[in-house]
């Protein structure tokens, strides 16, 4: 990390994560429309989200450690204001577009799902999405389902800065984050021992377990940050080794191939396993001058900077790209090619416009003294 708090290569990783999600949704969107189409993109979208989770946990924890070193405290109010200004504008924009615009336009309606959304609309469901609460009642809003990971991050960062502010010892922090990593197993065991399954719906239990597993993915990124900042020698001796980096990259490729080509199950491996492997990648990319993960170039930096927009807008752009391609092209393979290329280009363009004219406006409202490059990375440490 530079003196200004900038971590190299992380924009590149963020860009890769965004395009993993986008690539996995080319076929997924057509499946929503009723096309019997196999998934051809080998990397599941949730693997890309696991990369985001690990990166987010590492980056924000590292910058909070830096704030502690400089000021001996963490300004919680400033932290939450930065999160609100970075996350909420796009979150609520796509929510409004999904609820009141795109699903009302006939050519963009998703069969069954768009109409069901309005049938199931209630004050309880609306309150759920407005308050950024986990979707335990399974209220589905077409084109906006990507909100789920934003909800996970917002829940996590309600408590994470306070943990760093209260617990200063490395092992105490690592222990707290480990509890979060394994909180789904602890919760499930708690429910089983007390036989709470008689009183709680299985769907609610499953949703809670999934939510806790996602929180664990972010906590793993926090653990890598804590271990590095509190015991740098361990990282330099073992994690920074080029053989370790190569082994992690090979394991990631093997896991993805086994899931896609052998098991045909994108969640065959726990997302926390992917997040653990990505933690090694992120730490090396950010802190190791000799890393094999060299991703500093203008294109990846640009795409990484607008990656939040890519993640939030891409489903809308897939819908627009599909409608245009279907309207003007009849040859199936050419139509599909144009759909993918047009949707991708439109996603990047809309995300750039959003970052320049919408997101940047809110970022300028950050608390004073937070306009440095590293602070911008912290504000953008999300999907």
């Amino acid at each position: 990390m530079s003196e200004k708090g900038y971590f190299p290569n992380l924009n590149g990783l963020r860009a890769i994560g965004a395009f993993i999600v986008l690539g996995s949704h080319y076929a997924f969107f057509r499946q929503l429309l009723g096309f019997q189409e196999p998934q051809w993109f080998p990397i599941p979208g949730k693997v890309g989200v696991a990369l985001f989770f690990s990166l987010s946990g590492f980056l924000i924890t590292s910058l909070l450690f830096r704030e502690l070193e400089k000021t001996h405290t963490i300004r919680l109010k400033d932290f939450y204001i930065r999160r609100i200004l970075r996350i909420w504008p796009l979150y609520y924009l796509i929510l409004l577009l999904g609820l009141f615009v795109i699903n009302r336009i006939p050519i963009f309606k998703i069969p069954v799902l768009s109409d069901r959304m309005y049938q199931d609309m209630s004050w309880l469901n609306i309150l759920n999405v407005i308050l950024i609460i986990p979707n335990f009642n399974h209220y589905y809003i077409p084109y906006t389902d990507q909100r789920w990971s934003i909800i996970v991050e917002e829940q996590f960062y309600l408590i994470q800065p306070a943990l760093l502010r209260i617990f200063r010892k490395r092992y105490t922090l690592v222990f707290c984050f480990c509890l979060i990593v394994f909180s789904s197993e602890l919760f499930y065991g708690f429910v089983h021992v007390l036989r709470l399954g008689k009183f709680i719906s299985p769907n609610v239990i499953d949703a809670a377990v999934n939510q806790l597993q996602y929180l664990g993915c972010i906590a793993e990124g926090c653990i890598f940050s804590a271990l590095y900042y509190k015991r740098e020698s361990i990282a330099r001796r073992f994690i920074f080794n080029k053989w370790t980096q190569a082994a992690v990259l090979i394991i990631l490729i093997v896991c993805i191939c086994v899931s896609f080509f052998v098991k045909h199950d994108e969640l065959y491996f726990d997302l926390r396993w992917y997040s653990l492997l990505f933690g090694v990648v992120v730490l090396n990319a950010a802190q190791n001058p000799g890393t094999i993960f060299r991703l500093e170039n203008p294109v990846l930096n640009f795409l990484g900077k607008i990656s939040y927009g890519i993640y939030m807008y891409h489903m809308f752009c897939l819908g627009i790209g599909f409608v245009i391609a279907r309207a003007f092209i009849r040859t199936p393979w050419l139509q599909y090619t144009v759909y993918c290329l047009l949707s991708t280009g439109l996603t990047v363009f809309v995300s750039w416009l959003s970052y320049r004219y919408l997101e940047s406006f809110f970022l300028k409202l950050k608390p004073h003294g937070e306009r440095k490059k590293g602070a911008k990375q912290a504000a953008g440490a999300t999907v």
Side-chain angles (χ1 to χ4, degrees), residues 196 202 258 284 345:
L196 297 178
V258 168
N284 275 281

Side-chain angles (χ1 to χ4, degrees), residues 165-373:
R165 184 173 175 174
I166 296 170
F167 302 110
R168 304 294 179 91
K169 293 184 178 180
R170 171 172 59 97
Y171 290 116
T172 305
L173 277 174
V174 171
F175 177 74
C176 290
F177 290 134
C178 284
L179 285 179
I180 298 174
V181 171
F182 297 105
S183 58
S184 61
E185 285 77 16
L186 294 172
F187 171 77
Y188 191 81
F190 181 77
V191 170
H192 179 73
V193 170
L194 297 183
R195 298 182 180 179
L196 297 178
K198 297 178 180 179
F199 311 101
I200 305 175
S201 166
N203 290 335
V204 172
I205 293 175
D206 290 342
V209 167
N210 288 335
Q211 184 77 6
L212 292 172
Q213 288 176 345
Y214 299 145
L215 293 174
C217 290
I218 306 177
E220 287 177 331
C222 299
I223 290 172
F224 277 96
S225 176
L227 290 176
Y228 178 80
Y229 273 86
K230 300 297 183 177
R231 196 66 176 267
E232 186 176 333
S233 60
I234 295 178
R236 292 189 180 278
R237 185 178 303 175
F238 300 107
I239 300 178
F240 283 7
N241 186 289
K242 287 190 176 181
W243 288 105
T244 301
Q245 297 178 66
V248 165
L249 186 59
I250 292 171
I251 293 171
L252 277 168
I253 294 172
V254 169
C255 289
I256 290 168
C257 290
V258 168
S259 297
F260 185 79
F261 296 107
V262 180
K263 297 298 181 179
H264 307 291
D265 179 5
E266 66 174 27
L267 296 180
Y268 181 73
F269 294 101
D270 194 307
L271 284 181
R272 289 171 295 180
W273 170 242
Y274 285 112
S275 189
L276 178 67
L277 296 173
F278 284 134
V280 177
V281 174
V282 169
L283 178 57
N284 275 281
Q287 298 284 26
N288 183 2
T291 183
I292 65 173
F293 307 109
R294 297 184 179 276
L295 302 170
E296 281 290 304
N297 68 70
V299 174
L300 287 178
N301 281 333
F302 167 73
L303 294 174
K305 184 171 67 174
I306 64 171
S307 60
Y308 183 39
I310 292 173
Y311 183 78
M312 296 298 274
Y313 293 119
H314 77 277
M315 289 297 289
F316 296 91
C317 295
L318 286 173
I320 295 170
F322 175 81
V323 168
I324 294 174
R326 184 173 60 174
F328 293 99
I329 301 173
R330 292 291 176 264
T331 307
W333 70 267
L334 183 59
Q335 181 187 110
Y336 195 94
T337 302
V338 171
Y339 153 66
C340 293
L341 294 176
L342 181 60
S343 300
T344 301
L346 187 60
T347 299
V348 172
F349 179 66
V350 170
S351 300
W352 170 75
L353 285 177
S354 175
Y355 185 84
R356 181 166 183 177
Y357 297 106
L358 175 65
E359 297 163 60
S360 293
F361 170 79
F362 288 100
L363 290 176
K364 291 176 183 178
L365 302 178
K366 291 181 300 182
H368 66 281
E370 296 297 337
R371 296 188 181 182
K372 294 181 180 180
K373 201 171 187 180

Side-chain angles (χ1 to χ4, degrees), residues 7-41:
F7 293 86
N9 303 309
L10 294 195
N11 271 334
L13 287 175
R14 196 179 286 117
I16 291 171
F19 275 88
I20 288 174
V21 175
L22 175 60
S24 71
H25 283 170
Y26 290 134
F28 171 73
F29 183 80
R30 287 169 57 90
Q31 290 167 0
L32 288 178
L33 295 174
F35 289 84
Q36 299 299 317
E37 181 175 318
Q39 175 60 270
W40 57 267
F41 192 77

Side-chain angles (χ1 to χ4, degrees), residues 61-75 160-169 173 230:
T61 303
S62 298
L63 291 173
L64 289 176
F65 275 135
R66 184 169 177 265
E67 183 178 347
L68 272 173
E69 291 175 358
K70 285 193 168 186
T71 67
H72 304 291
T73 188
I74 292 175
R75 297 182 293 273
Q160 186 254 15
L163 289 178
L164 268 69
R165 184 173 175 174
I166 296 170
F167 302 110
R168 304 294 179 91
K169 293 184 178 180
L173 277 174
K230 300 297 183 177

Side-chain angles (χ1 to χ4, degrees), residues 81-144:
I81 290 174
R82 290 196 300 270
R83 291 293 300 178
I84 288 171
L85 291 174
R86 183 67 184 106
I87 304 303
W88 288 16
L90 256 63
Y91 176 90
Y92 287 111
L93 175 60
I94 72 153
L95 189 60
L96 290 172
L97 291 174
L99 284 172
F100 303 114
V101 180
I102 198 164
N103 283 293
R104 289 189 178 277
I105 302 174
I107 58 174
F108 292 116
K109 280 189 172 183
I110 305 297
V112 180
L113 295 176
S114 291
D115 290 332
R116 182 181 296 170
M117 178 193 73
Y118 290 113
Q119 293 170 4
D120 295 342
M121 186 178 290
S122 65
W123 285 110
L124 180 62
N125 286 332
I126 294 299
L127 190 64
N128 181 281
V129 297
I130 289 177
L131 295 180
I132 318 183
I133 296 173
N135 190 20
F136 293 151
N137 54 354
H138 302 289
Y139 181 57
Y140 187 78
I141 305 174
Y143 294 97
T144 74

